[in-house]
Amino acid sequence: TIDQERLASEQRDIASTRTMEGREAELKLVSDNKIKQVNEEARQKEAESEAHMASAREAMEKQHHLQAQLLKQMALLKASEGGPTLKVKVERADHLPKVDRIGWIDAYITLALSGETAKTSIKKKQENPAWDEEFSLPISDSTASLQLTLLDWEMFHKDHPI
């Protein structure tokens, strides 16, 4: 009888252990599935975020380009009204430094003369950008000087001079 009780107790312990192991395995499976689901949702959100970032960058670059074109057109219009103009050709820049942690600068140049301004296009991630762009700026003051500024275009921060 003592042996039978001990045997019955051992069988209950084994059954209980198997039940606990089954529950643990079931919980682990549920947990693993939840982790996979959360990771997949995170990957999807990251992909969506990257797509939005690319779209925003493209829109901002287009805005810069349109603004530069508008400045060129305004300068040409003023120049066509008569009076002296200064014609400037921006050809290239050589050996620009790396200023971003992730690569070369996204370079462009602003030109300013007597309150008139113009901008080149943005040349992305280039050590030696070439523009080959021409500008005509009206001269309203014979003592004015042309100011050229090389800048690094930034999508989310203020552009900074080089």
Side-chain angles (χ1 to χ4, degrees):
T1 59
I2 293 177
D3 288 337
Q4 288 176 341
E5 286 177 19
R6 190 177 341 136
L7 182 61
S9 175
E10 286 175 4
Q11 287 175 344
R12 281 192 301 273
D13 289 345
I14 290 171
S16 176
T17 300
R18 285 184 183 156
T19 302
M20 287 177 59
E21 288 172 353
R23 286 183 189 152
E24 286 175 2
E26 184 180 325
L27 286 173
K28 179 158 179 27
L29 182 62
V30 168
S31 175
D32 289 348
N33 287 338
K34 188 64 177 175
I35 289 170
K36 286 178 186 175
Q37 179 185 0
V38 167
N39 286 340
E40 182 59 32
E41 289 172 3
R43 276 191 290 276
Q44 287 175 349
K45 288 186 183 205
E46 183 178 355
E48 289 172 6
S49 177
E50 287 174 3
H52 289 298
M53 292 285 289
S55 177
R57 184 175 182 92
E58 184 178 312
M60 291 181 77
E61 289 170 2
K62 187 173 184 177
Q63 178 186 8
H64 176 90
H65 176 73
L66 291 172
Q67 185 182 29
Q69 294 294 59
L70 179 62
L71 288 171
K72 272 185 187 178
Q73 292 299 320
M74 288 172 58
L76 287 173
L77 180 62
K78 285 187 178 183
S80 70
E81 293 173 353
T85 61
L86 176 66
K87 292 187 179 190
V88 179
K89 183 174 183 180
V90 178
E91 291 185 359
R92 68 179 186 277
D94 294 325
H95 310 294
L96 297 181
K98 287 184 179 181
V99 293
D100 292 336
R101 285 178 277 170
I102 58 173
W104 297 106
I105 72 171
D106 299 327
Y108 72 97
I109 295 176
T110 61
L111 300 90
L113 177 69
S114 301
E116 298 297 323
T117 60
K119 291 181 182 181
T120 65
S121 59
I122 299 169
K123 299 298 179 180
K124 294 184 189 177
K125 300 177 183 166
Q126 295 182 23
E127 178 184 10
N128 302 306
W131 288 277
D132 198 31
E133 297 179 24
E134 293 185 15
F135 301 89
S136 291
L137 298 167
I139 301 172
S140 59
D141 178 1
S142 63
T143 63
S145 60
L146 176 65
Q147 180 181 7
L148 301 172
T149 307
L150 176 63
L151 294 128
D152 181 23
W153 181 82
E154 296 291 339
M155 188 160 118
F156 295 112
H157 305 288
K158 184 178 178 188
D159 298 352
H160 51 85
I162 304 305

